[in-house]
Amino acid sequence: MGNNQKATILIFLMLQILNNCGYSQAPRPGYNASSDVQGNAGKTWAVIVGISRYQNIPGLLYADKDAEAFYDYLVNVEGGPKVSPARVKLILNENARSTEIYGALDWLRDSVMENDRVIFYFSGHADVENKTTDQGGFLLAYDSPLAAYVTTGTVSIKYLNTYLNAYLGSNKAKDIILIADACRSGKLAGGNGGVALTRQALKQGQNDRIIKILSAQDNELSLEGTKWGGGRGVFSFYLIKGIEGFADRNNNRFITTAQLASYLEPAVADATENTQHPEIDGNSGQELFPFNQKLFALAKQDENTSPKINGSIGTGVAVVLSPDIELFYEKYLNYVKDGRLIWGNSRADTVNCAKHVYLKLINAAGAESIKGSLKSSFFAALQQKMQAILDNYIYRKKTSFEYDANESYLELSYLKTLTGPDYVMRNYMLARSYFIEGITYRNYQNKIKWLESLQKALRFEDDSPYILAELAAYYHASGKPDSASYYYQKAESVAPEWPFPYNGAGILYEDAKNFGNAIIWYNKAIQVDSTFANAYYNLGRTYQELHQFDKALLNYQKAIKIRPDISQAYHNIGIIYDLLNDYDKAIANYQKDISVDTAHSDSYGSIGVVYQKLQAYDKAIVNYQKAIQIDSTNSMVYNNLGSVYLTLEAYDRALLYLNKAILLDSTNAKAYFNLGSVYLGLKSYKKAIENCRRAIALKSSEPDFYTNLGLAYVYDKSYKKGILCLKKALTFDVNDPAKYYNLACAYSRWKNTKKSLGYIRQTIEKGYKDYNQFMQDDDLSNLRKTVQFTELMKQHFPDKVK
C-alpha cells in the first residue's frame, strides 16, 4: 500500500496502545464515516463509562454490558443516532481509572463546539463517605479505594457538574444529556445514606439544557439481574428499549424528555415491584434520541432480550491522518505507554519523550482532528503518575513511596504549566502537585518547605484527607503532638472509613508510651479496614514493647499475611524469638526478612548476634561482614564484629573495627567500652581507662562499664579509684557473685587480705562455686598465701582441699 493511498483511508491508530490509556475494545466493522445524524445542527460527543470489575471494592455484574449496549445504540444500530466513533469514548472496567475519566472530560472540553450535544453516561458504583452534603458525592472509578474517596480513584460530582457547566458556557454546547446508573449498592463506605446523598448531588444544579436521567430515586438501589435481557441492569435495559422506540407517543422519530420519562419510570417500577423508580429532569420537550420504524420493529421482535452489541467500539480517535502526522502520533503514544513523559531514558534526554512530540503535534497542520485526544491523553498520563503516588500513600502497599514522589516531582511540576486558570481540574491538580512537592521536601528533611507546600495544597482542597493526614505527620515529626492529633481528627472527619488517621493517632500514643490508647486506635483502624496491614504491624510492635509476645507474634503474622513484603515484621519476630532464646526460629525469621528485602542489613547483623551468643564465631563474622557490605555506615555492626575479635583475642582486628564504629558514631558507648576492653587485654591500662570513662559519660546506666573501668584502675595501681568503680557496679545488682569476685581480686592486689577474704566469702554465698578459678587466678595469689583462705576453701570445698 502506498503512502498516498494510506493517507486516504480511515484508520484506528495503535489500539493496543490506546488500551493502556483507557480505551479497552478493538474496532469492529460497521462504522459509516459519513454518518453523524443528530436531528439538528451540531455534532454529538459522548463519554460512556461502564465498570463491573473494581480493583479494591466489590464489583458489579452487568455495568460494563449496560455501557456497551448504550454505546452500540449511539454508534452502530441502523436507525439510531449514528454518532461517529471519533466523537465517542467508551471506557470499561480496568481502563476506567479516575485519571482516564477526567482525561475524557478534558477531551470534551477541548473538542465540543458551539451548538454541539454532549452525552455523559456512567454505569457503576457511586457513594458519599462523609454523611454531609458538603462532600458532594463521587462516581467510583475502577481504582476507587474502600474509603477516602476525596483522595484517589473517584470522579467528584462537584467537578463533573463544573465540566458540564463549562460545556454549556465556554464551549457553547446546545445541550447535555447526563445518564447515571450509579447507585447499585448500599454496602460501600457510605452505606444507604451514601446512596441517597450521591443521588442528591447528581440532581443539584438544575438547568433545562442539562437533561439528567437517573436510574433510581434517593433511597432506592439500582437493580441488575439475569431476568433483564439475560443479564443487565433493569434501568439500562428499559432505557435502551425506550430510545429504540418504545417510548414514542407521536411517531415523530424522536424520543423527547417527557416521552422517555412517561415510558421509563413505570416500566422500571413494574419490573422491580415498585422498588426502583428512575427520575428524569430537564426540558420536557427536548428531543433526545432518534429512531426509525425499522429499528422499532426490530426492537419489538426482540422485546424481552438484551440489544445485540455489534460494529465498532469507539476510542474517540478514529481519524484520517497524513503519514508524517500518523508517524509522530504513533511515537507519542508509545512514549506515553512506556511512561517516558517529559524525558527519555535519562533526565538529560529531552527528545525521546512524549513532551517533545506533544509540543510538535499540538499546533501542527493536519493534526487538528486529534488535538483534543492528544492533550487529554498527555494530561491523563501525567496525572496517572500523580495518582499512583497517592494510591501508595493511601494504601501503603509498597516501600518506594518516597522515591516515587522524588522521581515524579519534576513531571508533575510540568503539569502545572500546561493548565490555565480556567482549567476545570486546576484546584484538584494543584492540590495534589503541592502535596507531592511537600513529600519531596520531607524526604530532603526540609521541614520549612514541607509545611509550606502542604499549606499551599490545603488552600486548593481543604477537605482532602491525605493533605490533612500529612500535616499531622509533619506536626508529629516536629514534636507537636497536639497539632498532629488535631489534623488526624480532621482527616478522620472527612474520611471516617479510611484507616490511616486512626493508625496515625495510634502512633502518637505509642510514641508517648501510652500503649493502652495506642492499642485502642490501632484496633479502630483495623475495624474500618481489616486489610490495613500497617495497623496490625504497629499493634504487634506495641505488644512487643509490653512484652506480650504472643499477641505481638499474632499481629505480626496477620500483617505479613496481608502484605508479605513487610520485611520488618519478620525482623521483629526474630527479635522476639531471640529474647525467648529460641535461636533457630530467630535465625529463620531473620532469614525471611532478608529474602523479602535483600538490602536489609539489620537482619544479617541480628543473625550475627545470635551466632555470637551461640559462640559460633565464624558464622557470626560472616553475617556481620554481609551486613557491612550492604550498609557500610552501621556503627553497631562494626562494634559487634569488633567484640567477636575481642573474644577471640585478635586484638588488632578488634581495634580496627571498633575504631571504625566510633568514627561512624562518636556516641556509640558500647564501642568505647569494647575498645577499653581491648586495651585491658593489651595491658594498656591508661587507654583502657580513657575509653571506659568515655563509655560511662555517654551511658551511665551500664554496670559492665564501671566494672571494666574499675579493673583498669586496679591494674594501673589506682586501687582506691578502681574499688570505687567496682562498688558502683555492685549497686546495679547486689546478687551478682561476679561483682563480689572482682572486688575480692582488687583488694587482693592491694594486699588488703581481710577485705579480699570477706568478698570471697560473699562470692561463694551468692552461688559462685568454681574452686579451680579461686586456686588459679593470679589476682588472688596474695590471698592464697593466708591461712584464712585455706580454711575458707576447706569449709566450702571439703572434698577438694587436701
Side-chain angles (χ1 to χ4, degrees):
M1 183 182 292
N3 286 338
N4 291 335
Q5 186 179 2
K6 183 178 181 184
T8 61
I9 67 168
L10 179 68
I11 59 172
F12 290 85
L13 286 172
M14 297 296 290
L15 286 169
Q16 183 58 43
I17 293 172
L18 289 170
N19 284 344
N20 293 291
C21 300
Y23 317 118
S24 62
Q25 301 290 331
R28 306 182 211 181
Y31 166 57
N32 180 350
S34 64
S35 179
D36 187 11
V37 179
Q38 182 175 303
N40 294 293
K43 299 180 176 66
T44 293
W45 301 82
V47 170
I48 302 171
V49 181
I51 313 171
S52 292
R53 296 188 295 276
Y54 278 87
Q55 186 175 42
N56 305 303
I57 61 177
L60 296 166
L61 296 174
Y62 309 117
D64 53 348
K65 301 301 180 188
D66 292 342
E68 287 181 319
F70 182 73
Y71 169 83
D72 200 51
Y73 161 78
L74 208 60
V75 172
N76 292 316
V77 298
E78 195 66 39
K82 278 294 187 180
V83 179
S84 165
R87 287 188 280 278
V88 182
K89 293 198 182 216
L90 176 63
I91 313 176
L92 302 175
N93 296 319
E94 291 83 357
N95 294 315
R97 294 178 176 272
S98 58
T99 51
E100 297 303 331
I101 299 172
Y102 277 129
L105 293 171
D106 285 332
W107 168 74
L108 290 175
R109 187 82 165 85
D110 289 327
S111 303
V112 172
M113 305 293 287
E114 185 173 358
N115 210 35
D116 286 351
R117 163 170 284 177
V118 175
I119 300 174
F120 182 79
Y121 178 104
F122 181 87
S123 183
H125 280 306
D127 198 13
V128 171
E129 182 177 14
N130 190 320
K131 308 301 191 300
T132 69
T133 55
D134 295 340
Q135 209 171 49
F138 303 91
L139 304 179
L140 306 189
Y142 166 75
D143 51 333
S144 170
L146 289 166
Y149 295 144
V150 179
T151 302
T152 178
T154 62
V155 174
S156 165
I157 293 172
K158 174 180 69 176
Y159 283 124
L160 175 62
N161 285 329
T162 303
Y163 273 108
L164 300 185
N165 289 322
Y167 304 148
L168 292 177
S170 304
N171 295 73
K172 298 183 180 180
K174 178 173 71 72
D175 59 23
I176 294 171
I177 301 173
L178 169 65
I179 303 172
D181 189 2
C183 295
R184 300 189 178 210
S185 174
K187 296 181 180 180
L188 302 173
N192 289 328
V195 170
L197 289 170
T198 303
R199 193 169 287 112
Q200 289 172 23
L202 284 166
K203 290 191 295 185
Q204 286 177 358
Q206 296 299 320
N207 185 318
D208 282 347
R209 292 165 62 200
I210 302 179
I211 311 300
K212 295 187 176 181
I213 306 173
L214 308 181
S215 61
Q217 297 190 15
D218 286 354
N219 294 307
E220 299 173 349
L221 296 178
S222 187
L223 306 179
E224 57 180 354
T226 56
K227 66 176 76 173
W228 299 295
R232 294 284 302 285
V234 59
F235 165 78
S236 171
F237 179 78
Y238 285 106
L239 170 69
I240 298 294
K241 291 298 181 188
I243 61 183
E244 284 179 332
F246 280 87
D248 180 49
R249 293 292 181 267
N250 57 7
N251 197 29
N252 70 345
R253 297 189 304 111
F254 272 92
I255 306 299
T256 67
T257 306
Q259 288 174 336
L260 185 59
S262 64
Y263 167 78
L264 186 60
E265 291 173 11
V268 173
D270 288 346
T272 61
E273 298 180 350
N274 280 313
T275 60
Q276 181 177 337
H277 301 82
E279 187 170 353
I280 302 179
D281 293 317
N283 182 354
S284 61
Q286 179 70 49
E287 293 179 342
L288 301 181
F289 300 103
F291 73 100
N292 64 19
Q293 289 302 318
K294 181 179 179 181
L295 173 60
F296 187 30
L298 290 171
K300 284 196 290 187
Q301 288 177 15
D302 212 15
E303 184 172 351
N304 296 315
T305 62
S306 177
K308 301 271 191 310
I309 300 168
N310 57 74
S312 62
I313 293 296
T315 65
V317 293
V319 291
V320 177
L321 297 175
S322 64
D324 56 336
I325 296 295
E326 178 189 347
L327 182 63
F328 269 112
Y329 193 42
E330 289 182 9
K331 183 180 290 187
Y332 164 78
L333 292 171
N334 275 313
Y335 287 144
V336 170
K337 177 187 175 184
D338 295 341
R340 290 186 285 175
L341 301 182
I342 68 170
W343 55 70
N345 292 322
S346 70
R347 293 189 183 182
D349 179 7
T350 58
V351 173
N352 298 301
C353 60
K355 175 186 171 184
H356 179 75
V357 184
Y358 170 84
L359 292 175
K360 283 184 173 295
L361 280 176
I362 194 65
N363 293 312
E368 293 83 1
S369 58
I370 61 168
K371 183 175 179 179
S373 290
L374 185 71
K375 189 173 181 181
S376 65
S377 62
F378 196 34
F379 276 28
L382 285 167
Q383 292 200 60
Q384 183 58 40
K385 285 213 169 185
M386 182 187 297
Q387 198 63 62
I389 295 169
L390 290 172
D391 288 347
N392 194 23
Y393 187 88
I394 294 295
Y395 299 116
R396 288 296 198 268
K397 285 186 176 179
K398 60 178 184 176
T399 57
S400 61
F401 168 69
E402 289 81 3
Y403 173 79
D404 290 344
N406 293 347
E407 285 295 292
S408 298
Y409 172 59
L410 292 176
E411 291 178 324
L412 303 177
S413 296
Y414 181 69
L415 180 61
K416 288 187 286 189
T417 69
L418 295 176
T419 61
D422 61 341
Y423 177 50
V424 173
M425 299 294 292
R426 187 166 176 80
N427 284 0
Y428 175 92
M429 181 268 297
L430 287 174
R432 283 152 174 72
S433 184
Y434 282 120
F435 168 76
I436 292 170
E437 179 181 275
I439 296 296
T440 304
Y441 283 125
R442 183 234 283 177
N443 299 337
Y444 292 137
Q445 299 182 346
N446 187 332
K447 284 190 174 181
I448 294 174
K449 293 289 187 181
W450 180 15
L451 178 60
E452 286 178 355
S453 297
L454 293 178
Q455 289 172 333
K456 288 178 184 176
L458 200 63
R459 283 200 291 271
F460 289 102
E461 278 198 339
D462 61 2
D463 63 347
S464 286
Y466 67 95
I467 301 172
L468 296 167
E470 186 62 18
L471 274 167
Y474 163 79
Y475 284 114
H476 188 180
S478 300
K480 297 179 180 179
D482 291 342
S483 295
S485 180
Y486 169 78
Y487 279 104
Y488 277 134
Q489 288 175 16
K490 287 199 72 174
E492 175 199 335
S493 69
V494 174
E497 299 299 315
W498 184 33
F500 191 84
Y502 303 102
N503 186 65
I507 294 172
L508 280 175
Y509 281 116
E510 185 184 349
D511 285 354
K513 304 298 182 183
N514 187 339
F515 297 123
N517 275 331
I519 290 169
I520 290 171
W521 285 96
Y522 290 142
N523 278 315
K524 284 185 177 181
I526 292 166
Q527 285 168 12
V528 299
D529 184 357
S530 61
T531 67
F532 191 62
N534 290 48
Y536 289 109
Y537 170 78
N538 291 337
L539 199 53
R541 190 178 58 206
T542 302
Y543 282 123
Q544 187 172 351
E545 288 277 350
L546 293 170
H547 284 218
Q548 296 181 31
F549 295 138
D550 288 347
K551 291 181 178 179
L553 291 171
L554 177 65
N555 281 281
Y556 284 141
Q557 294 293 352
K558 287 180 178 178
I560 290 167
K561 186 175 181 180
I562 298 166
R563 266 190 57 193
D565 66 328
I566 303 182
S567 64
Q568 189 64 44
Y570 290 112
H571 183 82
N572 289 359
I573 292 171
I575 291 173
I576 290 173
Y577 282 123
D578 193 351
L579 292 170
L580 295 173
N581 298 326
D582 192 337
Y583 298 127
D584 288 342
K585 287 184 179 178
I587 291 171
N589 279 280
Y590 290 140
Q591 288 173 337
K592 284 181 182 178
D593 172 22
I594 293 166
S595 69
V596 173
D597 183 2
T598 56
H600 197 185
S601 66
D602 287 352
S603 279
Y604 280 116
S606 296
I607 292 172
V609 170
V610 173
Y611 281 127
Q612 190 171 354
K613 289 179 181 178
L614 295 171
Q615 298 182 3
Y617 298 123
D618 289 346
K619 291 182 179 180
I621 289 169
V622 167
N623 281 278
Y624 287 142
Q625 288 175 336
K626 286 180 179 179
I628 288 170
Q629 287 172 4
I630 296 170
D631 181 5
S632 61
T633 66
N634 191 326
S635 172
M636 194 51 69
V637 176
Y638 283 101
N639 169 74
N640 292 348
L641 186 52
S643 69
V644 171
Y645 285 119
L646 167 63
T647 302
L648 296 173
E649 297 185 1
Y651 294 131
D652 288 346
R653 288 193 175 185
L655 286 172
L656 175 68
Y657 288 111
L658 293 171
N659 279 313
K660 180 67 174 178
I662 291 168
L663 182 64
L664 289 168
D665 181 5
S666 61
T667 67
N668 190 334
K670 287 193 174 182
Y672 283 112
F673 165 73
N674 285 328
L675 199 56
S677 301
V678 171
Y679 285 120
L680 267 176
L682 292 171
K683 300 182 180 180
S684 298
Y685 301 126
K686 291 196 176 348
K687 288 184 177 180
I689 291 168
E690 177 187 348
N691 282 282
C692 289
R693 289 182 64 179
R694 285 179 179 173
I696 291 170
L698 290 166
K699 191 172 184 180
S700 60
S701 59
E702 291 287 341
D704 289 348
F705 293 4
Y706 292 99
T707 296
N708 277 18
L709 179 59
L711 293 175
Y713 275 127
V714 168
Y715 294 141
D716 199 43
K717 300 183 180 180
S718 297
Y719 298 113
K720 285 185 178 180
K721 289 181 179 179
I723 287 169
L724 283 174
C725 290
L726 294 172
K727 286 182 176 180
K728 176 69 176 179
L730 181 61
T731 63
F732 287 91
D733 185 0
V734 295
N735 292 311
D736 182 3
K739 293 181 173 57
Y740 292 96
Y741 182 81
N742 288 330
L743 279 164
C745 291
Y747 277 113
S748 175
R749 291 181 70 90
W750 201 13
K751 299 183 180 179
N752 187 331
T753 56
K754 181 177 180 182
K755 288 192 175 181
S756 178
L757 192 64
Y759 280 110
I760 286 291
R761 183 178 290 108
Q762 290 182 78
T763 299
I764 296 169
E765 289 171 356
K766 295 297 181 182
Y768 189 75
K769 305 292 186 180
D770 190 343
Y771 174 77
N772 290 332
Q773 180 68 26
F774 291 134
M775 299 307 296
Q776 296 172 9
D777 193 333
D778 289 343
D779 288 342
L780 296 178
S781 60
N782 290 324
L783 191 62
R784 285 195 293 272
K785 296 174 183 178
T786 65
V787 174
Q788 293 91 334
F789 176 81
T790 302
E791 292 299 321
L792 185 61
M793 292 297 104
K794 284 181 180 178
Q795 179 183 348
H796 289 283
F797 305 101
D799 56 330
K800 294 184 178 181
V801 179
K802 297 179 181 178

